[in-house]
Amino acid sequence: MSYDDALEGAQVPAPRGGLSQSLYLPLDLPLEFEAFYLGHQEAFHSYAEVHFGTRETAEEVIHEVFLQIHAGWPELLSAGNLEQGAWAIMRRAVHDRLEHEGRAPAFVINGPIVQAMDKALATARDKLQKLESSSGLYEAIAELPGRQFEVIVLRYILGYPTTKVAWYVGIDERTVGHHLRRGKERLRVKLGLPDERKKPKRGQQP
């Protein structure tokens, strides 16, 4: 059966006017797929939107992503790593679209997106010595390795708690914490910030 045949009659609508909680799908779709869509579409759309800078493009890309997930649903289930497999499809679709358009993520180049992230990253920036210019931080985030990049974006840009990051990406909370620590350390080195772990304790000589 071809890919087009697999998609025929199984249209996952791109949400309009905010995050829709409705599915206009054939009744014979697996309930597990509908539940997965409802549970993950918010994070997928948010992740795509901070990369593309517009809701319209994010909806277009994630619409195609869920079609791909549906087409490969039996394989994803049998592989035993549904969240990670679906997240990989979404991440690849976002990356391919950016590469095709020949541009960096919107949070690096789009002023309004940067302004929106300023608030979400306030706590992170405080820990990173309150940089005079946030643009260097965003560019450094964009250069992080895959898993570190994902958890940093989800945790500090989109503001999801660690438990939700773990669920969306399909890893446990301790692994999320590990990637967050590695990512923040890589950012510290990249931005030339002092290592707070090496600061002398109060009352000790420097």
Side-chain angles (χ1 to χ4, degrees):
M1 181 174 62
S2 70
Y3 176 75
D4 290 337
D5 290 335
L7 296 184
E8 186 176 353
Q11 295 298 307
V12 180
R16 297 292 177 185
L19 295 175
S20 171
Q21 292 297 314
S22 300
L23 283 174
Y24 299 95
L25 298 170
L27 295 178
D28 59 349
L29 277 178
L31 289 177
E32 295 90 345
F33 177 79
E34 295 188 28
F36 183 86
Y37 174 82
L38 291 173
H40 289 75
Q41 57 96 10
E42 177 187 350
F44 281 24
H45 278 94
S46 297
Y47 185 90
E49 189 170 358
V50 299
H51 282 76
F52 298 119
T54 69
R55 185 69 182 182
E56 182 179 2
T57 303
E59 289 178 348
E60 178 185 334
V61 172
I62 299 306
H63 174 76
E64 295 299 325
V65 166
F66 276 106
L67 289 178
Q68 292 183 46
I69 292 172
H70 177 265
W73 188 250
E75 291 77 13
L76 287 169
L77 286 178
S78 62
N81 57 348
L82 176 59
E83 281 79 10
Q84 291 187 45
W87 191 268
I89 292 172
M90 187 274 298
R91 183 180 66 243
R92 184 171 59 250
V94 169
H95 176 270
D96 289 351
R97 178 66 172 261
L98 288 173
E99 189 174 64
H100 176 73
E101 295 179 354
R103 64 182 180 91
F107 63 75
V108 173
I109 62 177
N110 190 310
I113 295 296
V114 170
Q115 292 172 15
M117 286 197 308
D118 280 342
K119 184 176 181 181
L121 277 171
T123 301
R125 285 204 314 277
D126 286 343
K127 294 180 179 179
L128 292 174
Q129 302 294 302
K130 292 189 176 180
L131 299 177
E132 293 182 4
S133 171
S134 59
S135 61
L137 174 59
Y138 301 131
E139 291 165 357
I141 290 173
E143 294 174 0
L144 288 172
R147 189 65 84 192
Q148 293 174 23
F149 173 80
E150 290 170 8
V151 298
I152 289 287
V153 168
L154 286 167
R155 180 69 185 89
Y156 293 116
I157 296 180
L158 297 179
Y160 290 121
T162 302
T163 52
K164 222 171 187 181
V165 175
W167 185 61
Y168 284 138
V169 183
I171 56 181
D172 61 44
E173 293 182 45
R174 288 177 298 178
T175 305
V176 170
H178 169 75
H179 289 305
L180 287 173
R181 289 191 296 273
R182 293 290 299 273
K184 288 189 288 186
E185 175 61 15
R186 190 179 291 266
L187 291 174
R188 184 192 67 77
V189 173
K190 176 75 174 179
L191 297 169
L193 298 174
D195 188 350
E196 292 186 347
R197 296 173 301 179
K198 296 181 179 180
K199 284 185 177 181
K201 295 181 179 179
R202 185 176 299 177
Q204 292 182 345
Q205 293 295 324

